[in-house]
Amino acid sequence: MNPILFISNGPTEDAIGAQVARGLPPSIWALPLVGQGKAYEGVAERILGPRKDMPSGGFLFGSLRNLLEDLKAGWLSMTLAQWRAAQTTPPPRAVVVVGDAYALSVGVFAARGAPLYHLNPLVSAHYLENLSSSLELLLDWGGSDFTPYERLLHRRARAVFVRDEKSQKRLHGFGIRHAYWYGSFAMDLLSPPERDLAFLGPDPGLALLPGTRGDEAFSLPLMLEASQHLPLMPLVAWPKPWEALPPLEGWARTWLDEDTLRLSRGNRLAWVLRHAFSAILHRSTLALATAGTATEQAAGLGLPIVAFPTLGPQYTRAFARRQKRLLGEALRLVEADPYRIAGEALILLKVPELYQQASQAGKARIGPPGGIGGATRHIREDLEKAKGPA
């Protein structure tokens, strides 16, 4: 049987694609456009290449520096090889795209008339709220709205799955009646708590979410400094190997096991935990964040967020403003100063009305889980009806 080809462009997109793929019939092939697509390992029969990490982490158009670094690292040759891989696969039974309009372009090219499905976990109609200027939208139009080009490609798809109800209504208004919203993709990716954190004691936690794209070298020391002024226990969600941990001046390190690091500074403690992201969120009262999907998942659980821009590559000032438009009152955006960060967090902790407003806003804007399961069922049932090419 010819394969169902998955095309995605980012680690979160890969994770969504892999979950959808698990619910579809064999065989599954994958073409990750950003990074190595490790989420597809054990799910796809073949993962097409080249599978290569770029310096920008997929945010090459976020800054001139990111673009130049990726070009030097061979982005053009890698991109051409990916388009060749899309063209030279056997005629697919169907193509499932998880990502933006660029990934959808590759999907249309690869489909060659086969059924095409698009999951867009990136664009949200909420991004159009409270724009400071039309220039701000223009600079990030494809990331904030469904462009005319993307909507044209949508007419080639059998179904388009979006991240929130407001986005579904926007596409319906453009005549894309085959746009569906079944729930949040981000909340579907959040696992149950991975570890029992009872050994940390009864104190409420402060989730520190520095991200995974390189921003953490700048943001984690600032978060730890800010945490010293807050009545919460700092819990760092660390997804990388220990050797990637940035220098943390003034903090003594004690490893309790291979996934648990205790930091001490005077009489204050902080914990850096691996394989405990969901456990940290469920244990925490508030979050300091310079992350993408992780920040949205925290907001979706009802945690108010205090965020600040970094030097990049991901959580730049423009990215931070964009996420603020998405999350609204759930996210407080301040300058990258530990006293400003702590001050904003203290306001939320000391004013129950503001805390509750932020908590409810995050849950409402991210929405309940169900997006991945709904898209999977829709695609599976549609393929059964269509009897696509064998």
Side-chain angles (χ1 to χ4, degrees), residues 87-152:
Q87 183 186 42
T88 57
T89 58
R93 180 183 178 189
V95 173
V96 179
V97 175
V98 188
D100 58 15
Y102 173 74
L104 183 57
S105 299
V106 180
V108 170
F109 182 69
R112 288 164 276 173
L116 175 69
Y117 305 91
H118 183 211
L119 288 76
N120 190 328
L122 304 167
V123 171
S124 170
H126 289 298
Y127 286 132
L128 303 177
E129 300 174 9
N130 300 315
L131 285 164
S132 59
S133 68
S134 56
L135 178 61
E136 187 173 10
L137 174 60
L138 184 63
L139 291 174
D140 187 40
W141 194 10
S144 296
D145 195 13
F146 303 102
T147 66
Y149 172 69
E150 183 173 3
R151 301 196 304 265
L152 180 65

Side-chain angles (χ1 to χ4, degrees), residues 220-242:
L220 182 54
L222 284 178
M223 290 177 177
L224 286 168
E225 183 64 34
S227 74
Q228 300 305 286
H229 308 286
L230 298 172
L232 300 172
M233 177 172 52
L235 304 175
V236 181
W238 188 249
K240 294 185 174 183
W242 289 121

Side-chain angles (χ1 to χ4, degrees), residues 151-380:
R151 301 196 304 265
L152 180 65
L153 295 182
H154 281 160
R155 300 184 185 280
R156 303 283 297 274
R158 291 179 65 89
V160 178
F161 306 99
V162 294
R163 63 181 297 171
D164 50 53
E165 189 174 16
K166 190 170 185 178
S167 298
Q168 176 187 257
K169 291 178 179 177
R170 183 161 179 79
L171 281 182
H172 284 182
F174 286 127
I176 312 297
R177 304 300 300 178
H178 53 290
Y180 302 91
W181 173 69
Y182 291 110
S184 169
F185 301 125
M187 300 312 292
D188 284 338
L189 294 177
L190 184 64
S191 70
E194 308 90 341
R195 300 172 56 184
D196 184 355
L197 301 184
F199 72 94
L200 298 177
D203 294 342
L206 172 68
L208 305 187
L209 311 177
T212 63
R213 302 293 187 91
D215 307 84
E216 62 272 11
F218 174 84
S219 63
L220 182 54
L222 284 178
M223 290 177 177
L224 286 168
E225 183 64 34
S227 74
Q228 300 305 286
H229 308 286
L230 298 172
L232 300 172
M233 177 172 52
L235 304 175
V236 181
W238 188 249
K240 294 185 174 183
W242 289 121
E243 55 266 26
L245 198 67
L248 302 172
E249 297 296 332
W251 292 92
R253 306 184 184 195
T254 304
W255 271 269
L256 302 191
D257 58 47
E258 62 183 8
D259 289 325
T260 308
L261 171 62
R262 184 178 65 208
L263 301 176
S264 57
R265 182 177 177 179
N267 62 350
R268 298 298 303 269
L269 296 179
W271 298 87
V272 186
L273 307 174
R274 297 176 71 245
H275 304 118
F277 171 68
S278 180
I280 286 173
L281 292 190
H282 282 88
R283 173 64 186 265
S284 295
T285 300
L286 191 78
L288 309 182
T290 55
T293 302
T295 303
E296 296 170 20
Q297 290 169 321
L301 283 180
L303 296 185
I305 312 294
V306 178
F308 55 92
T310 75
L311 303 176
Q314 180 184 23
Y315 213 82
T316 60
R317 192 171 296 275
F319 187 98
R321 286 199 301 262
R322 181 170 173 266
Q323 192 176 68
K324 167 62 179 173
R325 298 198 305 271
L326 171 69
L327 297 179
E329 293 302 313
L331 185 145
R332 300 298 186 95
L333 186 60
V334 299
E335 292 300 318
D337 173 86
Y339 298 103
R340 297 285 296 276
I341 298 165
E344 200 68 31
L346 282 171
I347 291 172
L348 287 165
L349 293 173
K350 291 180 179 296
V351 183
E353 295 82 2
L354 292 179
Y355 183 96
Q356 192 62 27
Q357 183 182 17
S359 178
Q360 291 174 350
K363 292 177 181 179
R365 284 176 173 258
I366 295 303
I372 292 177
T376 303
R377 289 190 300 273
H378 189 118
I379 295 170
R380 184 174 60 243

Side-chain angles (χ1 to χ4, degrees), residues 3-11 13-15 17-18 21 27-41 43-52 77-90 92 94-100 102-112:
I4 299 175
L5 176 64
F6 277 75
I7 297 172
S8 50
N9 60 341
E13 291 83 351
D14 296 343
S27 68
I28 302 295
W29 287 20
L31 175 58
L33 302 177
V34 173
Q36 300 185 37
K38 291 184 178 181
Y40 289 111
E41 293 177 357
V43 178
E45 292 181 13
R46 290 190 60 183
I47 304 177
L48 307 176
R51 301 166 65 186
K52 186 176 180 180
S77 61
M78 181 190 73
T79 300
L80 290 172
Q82 290 170 342
W83 281 82
R84 283 196 297 270
Q87 183 186 42
T88 57
T89 58
V95 173
V96 179
V97 175
V98 188
D100 58 15
Y102 173 74
L104 183 57
S105 299
V106 180
V108 170
F109 182 69
R112 288 164 276 173

